[in-house]
Amino acid sequence: MAREAQSNLATTDELHLRRALHLAAAATALASPNPTVGCVIALDGQVLGEGAHLYDLFDHAEIVALKQAASLGHNVRGATAYVTLEPCAHHGRTPPCADALIAAGIARCVIATVDPNPLVRGAGIAILRAAAITIDIADSDSPIAQHARTLNDAFAFSIQYGRPFVTLKAALSADGFLAPPSSTRTPATPHWLTGPASRADVQLLRHNSDAILTGIGTVLADNPGLTDRTNLPRRRPLLRVILDADLRISLDSSLVASAIKDVLVICHPFAPIDREQRLQERGVDVERLNGEACRPGLIQTLETLHNRKINSVLVEAGPNLIANFVLWDLVDKLVLYTAPTSLGPGSLPFAAGIASPLDIATKLTHITRTTFPHNDSHDTRLTGYLHNPWSSIDT
């Protein structure tokens, strides 16, 4: 068993950084398309101010913490700022946080991880050091740094590569199948492989995503809603994306019936105009894209989503669409839930033309495994990366 990396930070530093990470995690779905960031300002063991970045409120986490400290009557001169991501050094929607920390008299800054943006990475640290502020950065393989990075996988990937970070999620039987034969399934009688605890975990994946994507085959077979049912706050609805070349989606489907400008159907250029008009009348966005074999192209789809400021996409799909994402090397993170029951021959495979999900799982890095109770047994979740957004970043 691999040993957990040791931290280079003092216990007090870890305590405050973990609090900052907690603040950042609580702001999940409230910061995108910006990174999720938390900050704690402390002096002599006392927390003077803290906060997280919320996109709609503009202020970055450092500014939120400084303002809270001021509102409580605290003088932060000589204090330490604990930040989950390197303070910014550029003018965006707000002035640089590095300048604000200097002006406030911060003496030391402890950072969980550097900025993944290659255009500005290290600039905030350099400005703080030039102002004689002591800088400490968590070791990149430490649990604190890994947590900070995981929170911003999508931002890190999108800012470096210009497309959304794609997580493929699938629930499998013990013998590696995706679902029973199509002939045995109807939208009125869904088949759940995994237990309630695993399904609740999937809802957290949806909450952590900007968009969820599936194909028309899944929509016609299962009539899913594809909603975020965590009841946790988010600044914009989960964008539900359907790849439907010929606009076959039913106007009575759960997706169309619940659309409030949060359903996007991608079709090819020659799909029926009248179908598009009817969908638009019901609050569904339709976008026409070129593709292969009259199917909307996956690369073009991801480019379209990136232009909509979508940083992260969760794919929940059938064998054909899963296979296309895998074959085009567009899966960045894989999350597989395996149930204790088997489905037997003739069931739907994980991916068309791919013998076993293990063929992909063997290529993963940074693998974690978690179990969830399921009747008298348990489901197993395997998570790993095919493309690590932080692999080129060296602190």
Side-chain angles (χ1 to χ4, degrees), residues 244-251 256 267-282 284 286 288:
D244 180 9
D246 299 307
L247 295 181
R248 293 187 292 151
I249 187 170
S250 170
L251 299 179
V256 175
C267 65
H268 67 64
F270 307 107
I273 296 292
D274 62 323
R275 294 287 296 175
E276 177 181 359
Q277 292 173 340
R278 291 178 185 176
L279 288 169
Q280 290 175 333
E281 289 170 358
R282 288 163 171 79
V284 175
V286 178
R288 296 172 181 269

Side-chain angles (χ1 to χ4, degrees), residues 284-317:
V284 175
D285 284 344
V286 178
E287 186 140 356
R288 296 172 181 269
L289 297 178
N290 291 314
E292 298 294 329
C294 294
R295 294 178 180 175
L298 297 184
I299 292 175
Q300 295 95 323
T301 296
L302 293 177
E303 288 175 349
T304 294
L305 295 177
H306 181 69
N307 291 338
R308 289 173 174 248
K309 298 188 182 301
I310 297 296
N311 285 349
S312 54
V313 176
L314 179 65
V315 175
E316 296 187 18

Side-chain angles (χ1 to χ4, degrees), residues 168 178 213-218 241-244 295-298 301 314-328 330-331 350-352 354:
L168 171 61
L178 199 61
L213 183 149
T214 195
I216 185 59
T218 296
V241 184
I242 316 303
L243 301 188
D244 180 9
R295 294 178 180 175
L298 297 184
T301 296
L314 179 65
V315 175
E316 296 187 18
N320 291 328
L321 189 52
I322 288 176
N324 284 330
F325 266 95
V326 171
L327 293 174
W328 281 93
L330 294 173
V331 177
F350 163 68
I354 297 175

Side-chain angles (χ1 to χ4, degrees), residues 18-82:
R18 291 188 188 281
R19 173 59 183 169
L21 286 166
H22 174 79
L23 294 168
T28 296
L30 297 172
S32 181
N34 282 357
T36 301
V37 185
C39 176
V40 171
I41 296 175
L43 179 64
D44 297 330
Q46 179 187 4
V47 173
L48 306 180
E50 63 179 24
H53 171 58
L54 306 180
Y55 186 88
D56 290 339
L57 298 183
F58 286 85
D59 283 343
H60 289 190
E62 299 92 326
I63 308 305
V64 176
L66 287 171
K67 285 184 175 180
Q68 186 188 81
S71 71
L72 295 173
H74 295 310
N75 183 353
V76 300
R77 187 162 299 278
T80 298
Y82 297 88

Side-chain angles (χ1 to χ4, degrees), residues 153-165 306 310-312 389:
D153 278 343
F155 173 78
F157 190 91
S158 181
I159 200 70
Q160 292 178 91
Y161 303 109
R163 74 158 173 84
F165 183 70
H306 181 69
I310 297 296
N311 285 349
S312 54

Side-chain angles (χ1 to χ4, degrees), residues 110-344:
V110 182
I111 301 168
T113 190
V114 296
D115 193 322
N117 186 344
L119 298 179
V120 299
R121 186 184 311 145
I125 292 171
I127 289 174
L128 294 173
R129 281 181 171 149
I133 293 176
T134 302
I135 300 293
D136 287 295
I137 306 170
D139 286 340
S140 60
D141 59 351
S142 69
I144 281 178
Q146 290 300 311
H147 186 185
R149 291 183 171 194
T150 299
L151 285 174
N152 282 306
D153 278 343
F155 173 78
F157 190 91
S158 181
I159 200 70
Q160 292 178 91
Y161 303 109
R163 74 158 173 84
F165 183 70
V166 175
T167 298
L168 171 61
K169 166 262 164 184
L172 303 170
S173 62
D175 49 353
F177 290 104
L178 199 61
S182 299
S183 59
T184 68
R185 291 158 47 229
T186 69
T189 57
H191 181 88
W192 297 111
L193 276 174
T194 55
S198 293
R199 297 200 296 275
D201 191 64
V202 171
Q203 292 302 315
L204 291 175
L205 289 180
R206 292 183 180 183
H207 182 69
N208 292 342
S209 303
D210 294 333
I212 184 170
L213 183 149
T214 195
I216 185 59
T218 296
V219 173
L220 295 177
D222 299 332
N223 191 26
L226 301 180
T227 53
D228 171 1
R229 296 190 287 278
T230 61
N231 292 321
L232 296 171
R234 55 186 309 142
R235 62 169 294 264
R236 52 184 178 175
L238 177 67
L239 182 64
R240 298 174 285 171
V241 184
I242 316 303
L243 301 188
D244 180 9
D246 299 307
L247 295 181
R248 293 187 292 151
I249 187 170
S250 170
L251 299 179
D252 298 322
S253 66
S254 295
L255 284 158
V256 175
S258 62
I260 46 172
K261 291 297 182 181
D262 61 344
V263 174
L264 171 64
V265 177
I266 306 288
C267 65
H268 67 64
F270 307 107
I273 296 292
D274 62 323
R275 294 287 296 175
E276 177 181 359
Q277 292 173 340
R278 291 178 185 176
L279 288 169
Q280 290 175 333
E281 289 170 358
R282 288 163 171 79
V284 175
D285 284 344
V286 178
E287 186 140 356
R288 296 172 181 269
L289 297 178
N290 291 314
E292 298 294 329
C294 294
R295 294 178 180 175
L298 297 184
I299 292 175
Q300 295 95 323
T301 296
L302 293 177
E303 288 175 349
T304 294
L305 295 177
H306 181 69
N307 291 338
R308 289 173 174 248
K309 298 188 182 301
I310 297 296
N311 285 349
S312 54
V313 176
L314 179 65
V315 175
E316 296 187 18
N320 291 328
L321 189 52
I322 288 176
N324 284 330
F325 266 95
V326 171
L327 293 174
W328 281 93
D329 194 27
L330 294 173
V331 177
D332 305 309
K333 187 175 183 178
L334 184 66
V335 183
L336 295 179
Y337 297 84
T338 302
T341 55
S342 296
L343 290 176

